[in-house]
Amino acid sequence: MPVARDWEQAGRYPTEIVKGMADMGLFGITVPEEFGGLDLDPVSFALVFEEIARGWMGIAGILGSHSLACRLIAMHGTQEQKDMYLPDLATGKRRTGIGLTEADAGTDLQGIRTTARLDGDHYVINGSKMWITNARYAIRCRCWSRPIRVLRPRTAA
């Protein structure tokens, strides 16, 4: 990407490139087609991500963190959450962020210290993050943490 070095050094956000990705539908690569996404298989997703990262890793980070959130909502969200968020996330009209990096762990998921404790019908998050990818433009951010109580999936009857 010819502008990557100059824009990165200047701290310039790649607004035009992000808009171009939205226009191409790339913010919907992990969103099911029924919600307006492309619903790419994992290999196709990896190929798209690899090509974008080859040009500018910062752009790949914008798309990757967003795509992860979309995938999580598509797989584990309630129908209400899917209906509410996925259509706008697929188009890039809305975007998400990710809170992962910690002072003592960097981006090593095994080393993070932030915890999540279930308290009634919500979680109490305790810890700190250094950077939030996409925070300036995100409608929602995922915060990576360690569960204090291990949650077990429900089994089908």
Side-chain angles (χ1 to χ4, degrees), residues 47-65:
L47 291 171
V48 168
F49 192 80
E50 185 177 78
E51 283 301 306
I52 292 170
R54 189 168 62 97
W56 188 352
M57 187 57 208
I59 300 291
I62 291 168
L63 184 63
S65 59

Side-chain angles (χ1 to χ4, degrees), residues 35-50:
F35 298 102
L38 300 175
D39 201 16
L40 295 186
D41 63 88
V43 172
S44 298
F45 169 80
L47 291 171
V48 168
F49 192 80
E50 185 177 78

